[in-house]
Every structure is written in structure tokens, then in C-alpha cells.
Amino acid sequence: MIDLTDRVALVTGASGGIGESTAKVLAENGADVVVTDVVDGIEETASTIEETGSKAIASEMDVTDEDEVEAVVEATLDELGRLDILGNVAGIFPTHTLEEMTKNDWEQVIDINLTGTYNCTQAVLPAMREQNYGRIVNVSSASGGHIGWSNDLAHYAASKGGVIGFTRSAALDVAQHGITMNAIVPGLIDTGAPQSVAEEEELEAGVQMTAFGRMGEPEEIANAVTFLAAEEASYITGAKLVVDGGYTLV
Ligand SMILES: NC(=O)c1ccc[n+]([C@@H]2O[C@H](COP(=O)([O-])OP(=O)(O)OC[C@H]3O[C@@H](n4cnc5c(N)ncnc54)[C@H](O)[C@@H]3O)[C@@H](O)[C@H]2O)c1
């Protein structure tokens, strides 16, 4: 049984979708959670968590702003005493044809999805090294290595493929400090994000590409993050855990 009692987690992009669900499932398993995002919703997520008996802190935090990230990590250590788990979930998912894509579109996606993951990781590592313990879970995407239902995502695919490369290489660097780093590779998850970029027909075609013939629920990703965040996942590092209902099987 997973028991995260006395563990402290920081989750990015936790106002809604997969991040919110991850924060809640970590808390249901005993962790205290710092709930961060750039949009409204962190207070609601934090209040729900407190109902489970875990501590929760809501902090506005833009993953592209290194100073802000460092300040939130510092406040976490001051208020909760440690930092064991980082869930790098924040991400954006805009579509642009390559022809229309501007350098600014490209940089925005890379900055949030890839550099944001790097910024948060660098900020938590000193505390994790000192504790000689840490669990970092990065949310990538099937789009990072498998081109399926939606095109016009070259920047997104590059950012999420980058998250896999970062995870695998950095896992080697941090292993000596008792820290694991793994990536989750979700397929189509019913958070509203896929619906915001795809027509209904296109989305339905994507759903039909999954072995289960349905989208995943945010909790199904949160459960996988929580497993990798647990002590029980002690011999797993640099791994890609595909959670896609069989979407990349064909
Ligand atoms: N939903 C899917 O089908 C799917 C599939 C594969 C991967 N993913 C990945 O899962 C993660 C969560 O996606 P979701 O579907 O829950 O979408 P979502 O839009 O509900 O959640 C993403 C969150 O990230 C936050 N965010 C955006 N920019 C930020 C920034 N600069 N700093 C901090 N937070 C920021 C948003 O405000 C939002 O709350 C993303 O990284 C996404 O790429 C989602």
C-alpha cells in the first residue's frame, strides 16, 4: 500500500486537469502538497486537499520564472520542513501549422513545457540531495514520440520529446543522491485540453486509435504519478511509463 505520510510534494499546473488530480491523489495517500499554477483554482484544490487531513499550500508560480520557483521552494522548506516529491505537470498545448508558427509560438511552448520542467527540477534538487531522497515525475506526452491523431504540434512534440531526454539523462546524474526521476507518457486524457484544440470528429478519430476506445481520466494519470512518487518505486528511474489506454500500440 502506498503511504506518503510525512512526505511533502510540490505539483505544478495544479489548478485543474491532471495537475489538480495529481495533487489530490498524492494527498489522499498522505502527502502534504504545495499546489501551484498561474491561473485561478489553486485555492480550491488546496481546500479540497485539506478536507482529506493533509496540509496544503496554494502558491501562484509560473514555471518559466526561476526566481518565483526558487521562492516557492524556499517557502515550502520553511513551512513544511522538507520536499520529497516534484510533479512537473504544467504545460500548454497550442496548435500551429509549421507554416504559420512564429518563433514566439515555438519559444513559448519550449519555455513552459521543457524549460519549466528544468527550472523546477533545479530548484528542488539541493533539498533532495541534502535529504538523500527525492522523487521527480515529469509529465511528457504520447506526442513526444508518436504522431497520432493531431498534427500542427511540432513545438509541443519537440518539448515533450525533450522532457523524455531530460528525464533519462538527469536520472543518471541524480541517482547517487537517492533521487529517482521518471516520465509519464499520457495518451488522450479527458481534461478539456484536447477538446480545446481539436474538432469533435478529429478527437473521436483519436479516441478510436486507443485500444480501450475511450479517453483516459485525469485520475488514471495521477495514480501513475503517485506510484512513481512512492517509496515502493525505489528501483525505477529514467523510465517512461506509458499511460495511454493502448493509444501508441498501433
Ligand atoms: N490532456 C491530455 O490529453 C494530455 C496528454 C498528454 C500530455 N498531457 C500533459 O499533461 C499536462 C497537464 O495537461 P492537462 O490536460 O491537465 O491540461 P490543463 O490545461 O488542464 O493543465 C495544464 C495546467 O498548466 C498550467 N500552466 C500553463 N502554463 C503555466 C506556467 N507557465 N506555469 C505554471 N503553470 C502553467 C495551466 O494554467 C493549467 O492549469 C500537460 O503538461 C500536458 O501537456 C496532457
Side-chain angles (χ1 to χ4, degrees), residues 45-215:
T45 308
S47 315
T48 317
I49 286 175
E50 282 183 330
E51 286 165 20
T52 69
S54 289
K55 288 184 197 146
I57 299 174
S59 294
E60 219 177 286
M61 186 183 93
D62 182 336
V63 296
T64 66
D65 184 334
E66 288 162 83
D67 293 339
E68 212 167 281
V69 172
E70 273 174 28
V72 170
V73 168
E74 211 169 295
T76 303
L77 295 170
D78 283 350
E79 290 178 46
L80 298 173
R82 50 187 300 124
L83 217 178
D84 304 286
I85 298 162
L86 169 65
N88 276 313
V89 187
I92 56 168
F93 195 69
T95 51
H96 297 98
T97 65
L98 202 49
E99 198 178 354
E100 286 167 353
M101 190 180 294
T102 64
K103 185 83 181 294
N104 190 47
D105 297 330
W106 169 269
E107 284 179 347
Q108 200 191 11
V109 173
I110 300 292
D111 272 0
I112 295 174
N113 296 3
L114 182 56
T115 311
T117 298
Y118 164 84
N119 287 340
C120 296
T121 301
Q122 285 287 42
V124 302
L125 279 179
M128 289 185 177
R129 282 195 201 101
E130 206 173 306
Q131 293 166 182
N132 204 34
Y133 183 89
R135 296 277 186 267
I136 299 175
V137 186
N138 300 324
V139 175
S140 177
S141 167
S143 304
H146 175 94
I147 308 307
W149 65 283
S150 184
N151 44 17
D152 306 336
L153 285 170
H155 41 11
Y156 182 75
S159 73
K160 293 298 185 176
V163 167
I164 301 280
F166 172 68
T167 302
R168 292 177 65 76
S169 184
L172 259 184
D173 286 354
V174 299
Q176 62 189 306
H177 302 292
I179 303 165
T180 68
M181 191 180 312
N182 292 290
I184 301 278
V185 183
L188 274 174
I189 309 302
D190 193 4
T191 60
Q195 291 89 335
S196 69
V197 296
E199 301 294 333
E200 209 177 313
E201 265 177 27
E202 191 190 3
L203 203 58
E204 186 48 34
V207 168
Q208 291 314 317
M209 287 178 199
T210 68
F212 291 148
R214 67 168 176 86
M215 295 180 87

Side-chain angles (χ1 to χ4, degrees), residues 1-5 7 9 11 14 16-33 35 45-46 48-50 52 54-56 85 89 217-230:
M1 200 194 90
I2 291 173
D3 182 5
L4 298 175
T5 309
R7 295 292 180 199
V11 182
I18 293 169
E20 175 188 1
S21 198
T22 296
K24 288 180 178 169
V25 175
L26 288 169
E28 280 161 16
N29 284 277
D32 295 330
V33 186
V35 179
T45 308
T48 317
I49 286 175
E50 282 183 330
T52 69
S54 289
K55 288 184 197 146
I85 298 162
V89 187
E217 295 301 324
E219 294 73 24
E220 292 177 297
I221 303 300
N223 290 338
V225 175
T226 301
F227 165 64
L228 290 173

Side-chain angles (χ1 to χ4, degrees), residues 14-16 20 35 37-45 60:
S15 279
E20 175 188 1
V35 179
D37 206 311
V38 281
V39 297
D40 287 349
I42 45 177
E43 302 286 352
E44 286 82 349
T45 308
E60 219 177 286

